[in-house]
Amino acid sequence: MEAENQTWVSEFILLGLSSDWDIQVSLFVLFLIMYLVTVLGNFLIVLLIRLDGRLHTPMYFFLTNLSLVDVSYATSIVPQLLVHFLAEHKAIPFLNCAAQLFFSLALGGIEFVLLAVMAYDRYMAVCDPLRYLVIMHAGLCYKLAITSWVSGSMNSLLHTTITFQLPMCTNRYVDHVSCEVLAVVRLACVDTSSNEVAIMVSSIVLLMTPFFLVLLSYIQIISTILKIQSREGRKKAFHTCASHLTVVALCYGMAIFTYTQPHSGPSVLGEKLISLFYAILTPMLNPMIYSLRNKEVIGAWQKLLGRFSGLTSKLASW
C-alpha cells in the first residue's frame, strides 16, 4: 500500500497569486508590459555594448553576461505565468516543472556568482587602476564568466535531481507562481530534512560565499576611496561602483532573507512575491540602474541616438 501511494505525478497544478478572474487579467497586462520592458531593456544594453567600442571593457563584458542572465531568468518563469493567468486549468507537466526549476535555480545562482565577479572587477579598477587592464585581461574575464555559469548550473542540477526523486504521492498542487524548489519539496510525502539541509548548504556556498566576497571587495574599495585626497576623485571612484552596488543590494538582500532560513523564512505569499521580484522586477530594473547612474552608458546612448537621428535625417532628405 505504501509503495502504491508513493507514485510519480504526471503534472502539477500551480495555484498562483489569485483565483479571481479580474485580478488575473489585470496581473496579465501588468506582467506582460514589465516582461516586454525587461526583454527590450536588456537587449538594448547588450546591443549598445556591442556597438560602442568605448564599452569593450571587462566591466561591460560582465554586464553583458548579467543582462543575458536576467532576460533568461525572466523567460524561464514569466511566459508560463502569463499563460496561466488566462488558463482555466493551470497545469504544468512534470518534465516542464523540472526544467523550469532547473533553469530558474541555475540562472539565479549564476547571477549571484557573477555579481561577486563584478565586485572583484570594481575592486581592481579602484584599488589597482594602473594594473587593471593587465590583470583583468580577456582570458581571465572569460574564465570568471564561465565559472559563474558552470557553478550555478551544477548547483541547480544537483537540487533538481534530488528534488524530483522525492515521492510526491498524490500531492500535485504547488502553492506558488512557478516550480520553485522549496514549494516543490513541500509536496513530498516523506521526510525532507536532508533536502532542506542541502538547500541550506548550497545557500552558504553559492549565496553567502559570493556575498562575503562582495562585502570584502567593497570594504577595500571604500577604504581606498576614503584615502583619495581630492573630492572630485572620490566622487569619480564612487560612481564607478554605484550601479553595481545598487544591483547587489537588490539581489542579495532578499535572497539571503529567503533561502538561508527554510523553516522560519517568509510566508507562502511572501515567497511568491519574492519570486516575482527576481523574475520580473530585478531584471527590469538592472538595465535602468546601469543606464541612469553610469556616465559612460549615458554617453554611449547619446552617441547612438545621434547616429540614428543623423541617419533618419539623411533618409528624409532623399
Side-chain angles (χ1 to χ4, degrees):
M1 188 70 178
E2 183 180 354
E4 183 179 348
N5 286 337
Q6 294 186 3
T7 56
W8 297 102
V9 295
S10 61
E11 65 178 18
F12 296 98
I13 307 297
L14 294 170
L15 299 182
L17 285 173
S18 173
S19 59
D20 184 273
W21 174 252
D22 292 333
I23 294 176
Q24 290 186 77
V25 171
S26 300
L27 290 174
F28 172 85
V29 174
L30 175 63
F31 289 165
L32 176 60
I33 293 172
M34 294 176 73
Y35 177 65
L36 293 176
V37 171
T38 296
V39 173
L40 180 62
N42 283 283
F43 170 76
L44 288 175
I45 282 287
V46 173
L47 181 64
L48 184 69
I49 292 171
R50 293 290 297 173
L51 292 177
D52 196 310
R54 294 174 300 176
L55 301 182
H56 293 174
T57 63
M59 173 183 174
Y60 294 104
F61 168 75
F62 295 127
L63 180 56
T64 299
N65 278 264
L66 183 64
S67 291
L68 292 175
V69 168
D70 280 340
V71 76
S72 299
Y73 187 89
T75 302
S76 72
I77 294 177
V78 179
Q80 164 263 310
L81 181 64
L82 293 174
V83 170
H84 280 194
F85 277 138
L86 303 181
E88 184 176 349
H89 186 57
K90 305 180 190 304
I92 180 170
F94 180 90
L95 290 178
N96 290 24
C97 185
Q100 185 181 64
L101 190 151
F102 169 77
F103 283 111
S104 60
L105 196 59
L107 292 162
I110 292 166
E111 179 156 6
F112 293 133
V113 179
L114 193 58
L115 288 172
V117 169
M118 294 174 76
Y120 174 71
D121 171 73
R122 293 298 82 206
Y123 161 75
M124 293 306 306
V126 174
C127 300
D128 199 356
L130 297 180
R131 296 197 303 153
Y132 171 65
L133 291 178
V134 175
I135 295 173
M136 298 300 295
H137 55 83
L140 179 61
C141 290
Y142 278 109
K143 287 177 183 177
L144 291 172
I146 290 170
T147 299
S148 302
W149 286 83
V150 171
S151 58
S153 299
M154 293 301 294
N155 174 71
S156 180
L157 181 62
L158 171 65
H159 280 298
T160 303
T161 301
I162 64 176
T163 297
F164 283 93
Q165 284 181 346
L166 293 170
M168 304 298 177
C169 302
T170 57
N171 299 331
R172 63 194 189 107
Y173 290 91
V174 181
D175 194 4
H176 211 279
V177 296
S178 65
C179 289
E180 196 269 346
V181 61
L182 291 176
V184 176
V185 165
R186 291 193 193 103
L187 300 182
C189 51
V190 294
D191 179 31
T192 60
S193 57
S194 60
N195 292 74
E196 291 171 2
V197 169
I199 292 171
M200 180 71 74
V201 171
S202 73
S203 298
I204 294 171
V205 173
L206 205 64
L207 177 58
M208 297 306 295
T209 302
F211 172 73
F212 282 119
L213 290 175
V214 170
L215 195 60
L216 183 62
S217 295
Y218 272 101
I219 289 173
Q220 294 295 324
I221 288 170
I222 292 170
S223 176
T224 301
I225 290 175
L226 292 176
K227 293 176 183 177
I228 298 174
Q229 300 296 324
S230 154
R231 181 179 177 182
E232 188 63 30
R234 289 196 299 270
K235 185 178 178 181
K236 183 179 178 181
F238 176 76
H239 274 297
T240 64
C241 307
S243 299
H244 177 257
L245 191 57
T246 305
V247 173
V248 164
L250 284 172
C251 290
Y252 279 104
M254 283 202 176
I256 292 170
F257 177 67
T258 307
Y259 288 103
T260 55
Q261 303 180 61
H263 286 295
S264 58
S267 64
V268 172
L269 177 59
E271 287 181 7
K272 293 178 184 180
L273 295 177
I274 290 169
S275 180
L276 290 173
F277 174 86
Y278 280 108
I280 300 177
L281 194 60
T282 300
M284 184 182 72
L285 290 178
N286 284 355
M288 298 180 186
I289 291 170
Y290 275 97
S291 296
L292 297 175
R293 298 183 64 96
N294 193 302
K295 291 181 179 179
E296 291 176 324
V297 174
I298 292 172
W301 277 124
Q302 291 171 344
K303 182 180 177 182
L304 185 62
L305 291 174
R307 286 181 181 178
F308 180 76
S309 177
L311 180 61
T312 304
S313 299
K314 288 182 180 180
L315 290 174
S317 64
W318 288 351

